[in-house]
Amino acid sequence: MFILGISAYYHDSAASIIKDGKIIAAVQEERFTRNKQDSNLPIHAIQYCLHIANIDFKEVDFIVYYENPIIKLDRWLITAIGRNSISRNYQNEKIIKNFSQKMNILHELREEFEIIGKEDKLYTVPHHFSHASSAFFPSPFKSAAVMILDGVGEWSTTTLGIGNGKNLEINKCINFPNSLGLLYSAFTSYCGFKVNSGEYKLMGLAPYGKPIYIDIIKENIITILEDGSYSVNMDYFSYMDSDIMTNKKFNELFNMLPRKPESRLTKEYMDVAASIQNITEEIVLKIAKNLAKETGEKNLVMAGGVALNCSANGKLLIEKYFDNIWIQPAAGDAGGSLGAALAYYYGKVATTREVNHELDSQCGSYLGPDYTNDEIKEYLQVENIPFKELNEDNCINEVAKLMSQGNIIGFFNGRMEYGPRSLGARSILGDPRDPKMQTRMNLKIKFRESFRPFAPAVLEERVSKYFSIDSKSPYMLQVAPVKQNLCNTVDETILEKNSYDMLNYLNQQRSDIPAITHVDYSARIQTVNKRTNPKFHKLLLEFEKLTGCAVCVNTSFNVRGEPIVCTPEDAYRCFMRTDIDVLVLENCILLKEDQPKVNNNEEWKNEYELD
């Protein structure tokens, strides 16, 4: 039985397919269209899922959409009627366009795939139930408490429940307009970053500041109860009436205007970021503490956009309200496609649920396209691109040696990742011991803000040697401190003396692995398992043999504003446009020095909207 899950028409559309309950493919549409967070109906992603399943569209048994458009229309209409200030244009755009798109999905699919005479039905699953299903059903737990936090689904913004076997129940909700996700997005916008993509920048900026605005926020903007439930004072926000998140009253509260995108960051905005991050962590911890008490569960699963806040996840790990935590790697809306398919399967079809206690059922989240060595060689030869092919062991040895010599590696290996993180399939890798690596990668390869940290990939069996964490973190969704014996003392007063002197503050060597050590001595960790990604694991082993270090820098294989590369052609294009030194396409190695010289024209940057 094949069940196709779809998320579309908000942001980051995706498709997933399961076969008899097993996840066999899942991918975001943006990877094919090269349009960051593409929200259109994911035709290319669906075609890929059908290809992996080796079926035609007409052979799909059930099609499931990740939210209920009727209930969402209910929220839009009630909100529009209840607020006199809402504009007709905004109302028309939000209601007519979005609702008509969602109600016509089945018709569009029939037209696209030329289906005639088959009476398909499009089933819907509530948005937060899709998230909850994506978190619980692939998890390695027979039973678990469930915590979902995002911007908004139909009505829900925070959802709590419990899963046991094949059963999943939602027990408690917080509804729109009270939303931790939208609150965090409003502060993201205020600090000059893009909503629905820049929230991780706000999280990365927070350690540079001090949470001096906590009392102001609590006294005016949000009320937080002991069980973690909260209510938001909408007098400070305008996102119910327009696409602008905050208003004049919000500006007056902080006594400054919103930061203009791409303008210089000052200490005031760093302090704002630190304050809202602190409040987000407080809410997450209080909800989790109460959830553990109410359910008695030892395991917790999470999804929704707020679940990508790995700093909050790291604090949750430290508190140990739960023995084990599993977070859906595609925690945002893209993961809703997988959750929708799983929700239908376990709700309507399955009689039991098999649990992979050792790993999980997500297959390392390597669920996207892959390319054989023969396919790669054919592309390189047709394009007359210089390369050398080695067997796998020799390739690994050569790449580890090149990385140990300070070269930056574009690493293209196996099936592409599902979700926002690169996990060693479409990654840019580097030596974490190099104190200049972070600046070099940010400015010359990623073309992004210099303050943004990089994540480490570490051998799963060595993680406790480098970081204060005793659990797996396969999906780069948990932050932990760098081990104290690896850390150095630095001058913490630099920003207090000069709030513009961020680079000097950042470039101090905080540890023996400075390229992945953030300014608060933390790191966003990926543990690499030899079963889920054997080639990446072998590379780290070989790098350790050469250097004594079982860690490397791992960042997504793309430039700022670009989706993660999908094809060998995407990878080569990124390689040639940046200062990446070496490109590894499976067992084919390409050196920058061997490639033809290209025009230094940087107009290509205009292809991508800055995130």
Side-chain angles (χ1 to χ4, degrees):
M1 177 179 288
F2 295 97
I3 301 177
L4 178 70
I6 297 172
S7 62
Y9 296 133
Y10 182 49
H11 65 98
D12 210 12
S13 67
S16 306
I17 195 162
I18 61 174
K19 177 183 179 182
D20 298 328
K22 181 181 179 181
I23 304 165
I24 60 172
V27 65
Q28 290 121 291
E29 182 73 359
E30 65 165 21
R31 307 296 170 84
F32 302 101
T33 64
R34 313 309 298 157
N35 176 21
K36 185 80 169 177
Q37 293 190 323
D38 194 329
S39 63
N40 292 304
L41 189 64
I43 297 299
H44 301 85
I46 292 169
Q47 289 170 335
Y48 165 72
C49 288
L50 297 177
H51 168 72
I52 292 297
N54 195 28
I55 60 172
D56 295 326
F57 187 82
K58 63 186 176 184
E59 296 176 86
V60 173
D61 293 284
F62 301 103
I63 306 162
V64 193
Y65 187 60
Y66 82 130
E67 65 182 15
N68 189 320
I70 300 294
I71 302 177
K72 197 151 200 171
L73 176 64
D74 177 64
R75 172 170 63 82
W76 282 337
L77 289 174
I78 290 175
T79 301
I81 293 167
R83 292 183 66 87
N84 295 327
S85 62
I86 196 164
S87 72
R88 180 172 296 275
N89 288 337
Y90 186 74
Q91 179 179 339
N92 287 342
E93 179 183 350
K94 283 293 185 183
I95 295 176
I96 297 174
K97 181 181 177 182
N98 285 274
F99 182 67
S100 62
Q101 283 179 323
K102 293 175 181 182
M103 293 303 292
N104 280 307
I105 286 176
L106 193 55
H107 174 73
E108 288 190 46
L109 289 172
R110 283 178 178 152
E111 281 197 342
E112 183 66 35
F113 293 97
E114 299 179 350
I115 302 299
I116 299 172
K118 186 181 182 211
E119 290 301 317
D120 288 299
K121 287 186 178 180
L122 180 69
Y123 297 88
T124 64
V125 173
H127 188 101
H128 271 227
F129 200 83
S130 292
H131 277 316
S133 298
S134 78
F136 176 63
F137 292 124
S139 77
F141 311 135
K142 181 180 182 296
S143 67
V146 180
M147 181 162 65
I148 310 301
L149 304 105
D150 70 357
V152 61
E154 292 86 358
W155 277 102
S156 301
T157 64
T158 298
T159 298
L160 307 176
I162 190 166
N164 192 333
K166 64 177 283 293
N167 300 312
L168 177 61
E169 295 180 4
I170 301 301
N171 299 325
K172 189 179 294 185
C173 293
I174 296 174
N175 286 338
F176 181 86
N178 298 304
S179 169
L180 179 59
L182 289 176
L183 178 70
Y184 201 85
S185 290
F187 277 86
T188 297
S189 175
Y190 184 69
C191 289
F193 305 124
K194 189 177 178 181
V195 172
N196 289 329
S197 71
E199 284 79 3
Y200 63 99
K201 296 185 187 182
L202 191 72
M203 181 184 70
L205 183 65
Y208 290 89
K210 295 183 178 180
I212 62 174
Y213 296 109
I214 286 178
D215 289 343
I216 288 176
I217 294 171
K218 287 185 176 181
E219 289 168 5
N220 296 276
I221 292 177
I222 188 166
T223 301
I224 307 169
L225 302 182
E226 275 307 303
D227 65 354
S229 59
Y230 57 87
S231 60
V232 178
N233 182 356
M234 294 305 299
D235 290 346
Y236 293 89
F237 303 96
S238 55
Y239 57 76
M240 291 178 71
D241 302 330
S242 72
D243 289 329
I244 300 170
M245 298 296 289
T246 56
N247 58 24
K248 183 179 178 181
K249 189 172 182 179
F250 190 98
N251 302 343
E252 291 171 350
L253 183 65
F254 294 99
N255 197 30
M256 56 184 176
L257 294 173
R259 173 179 166 261
K260 293 181 179 180
E262 309 308 312
S263 65
R264 182 177 291 198
L265 277 161
T266 60
K267 192 69 167 60
E268 292 83 2
Y269 294 103
M270 298 175 198
D271 293 340
V272 168
S275 301
I276 192 59
Q277 178 64 32
N278 186 289
I279 283 173
T280 298
E281 291 168 2
E282 178 184 341
I283 292 172
V284 169
L285 292 178
K286 284 184 173 179
I287 290 175
K289 182 179 181 179
N290 188 67
L291 185 60
K293 181 180 177 181
E294 287 191 346
T295 64
E297 286 291 332
K298 302 299 182 183
N299 305 314
L300 173 69
V301 297
M302 298 172 65
V306 179
L308 293 171
N309 192 309
C310 49
S311 294
N313 298 340
K315 298 286 174 61
L316 191 54
L317 199 67
I318 291 170
E319 292 298 329
K320 295 191 179 298
Y321 299 134
F322 295 90
D323 293 343
N324 306 291
I325 301 173
W326 193 87
I327 303 164
Q328 166 56 238
D333 276 11
S337 67
L338 177 60
L342 291 170
Y344 189 89
Y345 178 76
Y346 285 106
K348 302 291 186 181
V349 178
T351 56
T352 59
R353 170 174 165 254
E354 292 184 13
V355 180
N356 186 335
H357 295 285
E358 185 177 352
L359 296 171
D360 54 44
S361 301
Q362 188 89 10
C363 309
S365 215
Y366 303 111
L367 296 165
D370 62 350
Y371 296 83
T372 65
N373 268 307
D374 287 342
E375 289 172 324
I376 289 167
K377 283 195 298 181
E378 181 181 2
Y379 160 69
L380 296 173
Q381 289 165 350
V382 168
E383 297 297 328
N384 199 27
I385 296 171
F387 72 98
K388 63 179 178 180
E389 183 186 15
L390 302 173
N391 64 41
E392 182 169 304
D393 287 342
N394 288 340
C395 181
I396 290 295
N397 294 343
E398 180 71 11
V399 174
K401 179 181 176 182
L402 288 165
M403 188 160 64
S404 71
Q405 293 170 346
N407 291 288
I408 295 175
I409 313 294
F411 197 64
F412 186 102
N413 155 50
R415 294 185 72 178
M416 183 179 66
E417 301 91 343
Y418 173 52
R421 307 291 185 229
S422 283
L423 303 171
R426 304 291 186 273
S427 290
I428 297 173
L429 310 177
D431 188 340
R433 302 168 303 157
D434 185 346
K436 295 181 180 179
M437 184 61 68
Q438 179 178 0
T439 298
R440 185 181 165 200
M441 278 190 168
N442 267 330
L443 300 183
K444 297 295 185 180
I445 294 175
K446 303 289 283 188
F447 304 112
R448 68 185 197 182
E449 303 93 338
S450 59
F451 74 85
R452 290 166 61 179
F454 286 107
V458 58
L459 290 170
E460 183 179 279
E461 58 269 31
R462 306 276 196 278
V463 63
S464 60
K465 177 181 177 181
Y466 297 92
F467 307 101
S468 297
I469 185 174
D470 56 6
S471 59
K472 302 173 185 177
S473 179
Y475 301 121
M476 206 183 281
L477 288 172
Q478 293 173 337
V479 161
V482 175
K483 274 291 183 71
Q484 196 166 3
N485 63 298
L486 301 176
C487 294
N488 306 317
T489 302
V490 298
D491 184 358
E492 297 289 354
T493 66
I494 290 177
L495 283 180
E496 294 176 11
K497 297 172 185 174
N498 183 355
S499 65
Y500 294 107
D501 204 4
M502 182 182 281
L503 273 180
N504 282 334
Y505 179 66
L506 170 68
N507 289 335
Q508 298 179 96
Q509 192 164 336
R510 288 175 168 77
S511 78
D512 294 348
I513 41 178
I516 58 84
T517 304
H518 202 18
V519 293
D520 59 352
Y521 294 91
S522 70
R524 177 165 50 94
I525 299 163
Q526 179 201 358
T527 53
V528 180
N529 181 285
K530 63 182 177 182
R531 287 177 58 186
T532 55
N533 195 332
K535 191 171 182 178
F536 192 26
H537 189 273
K538 285 167 68 175
L539 176 60
L540 283 170
L541 274 176
E542 186 61 29
F543 186 70
E544 183 186 35
K545 288 179 186 176
L546 293 174
T547 65
C549 180
V551 180
C552 76
V553 179
N554 179 13
T555 188
S556 56
F557 199 157
N558 60 348
V559 298
R560 183 181 175 191
E562 179 191 20
I564 293 170
V565 301
C566 178
T567 67
E569 183 179 5
D570 296 336
Y572 185 74
R573 187 186 307 115
C574 186
F575 170 57
M576 294 302 291
R577 287 173 170 178
T578 66
D579 281 2
I580 295 174
D581 301 301
V582 181
L583 174 60
V584 182
L585 299 172
E586 294 299 343
N587 292 338
C588 297
I589 297 179
L590 291 73
L591 303 179
K592 181 63 70 65
E593 61 194 36
D594 295 338
Q595 305 308 308
K597 301 299 180 186
V598 294
N599 191 334
N600 289 328
N601 188 333
E602 294 189 351
E603 288 185 3
W604 62 266
K605 291 182 181 179
N606 296 326
E607 296 175 16
Y608 307 118
E609 182 181 348
L610 294 181
D611 61 2

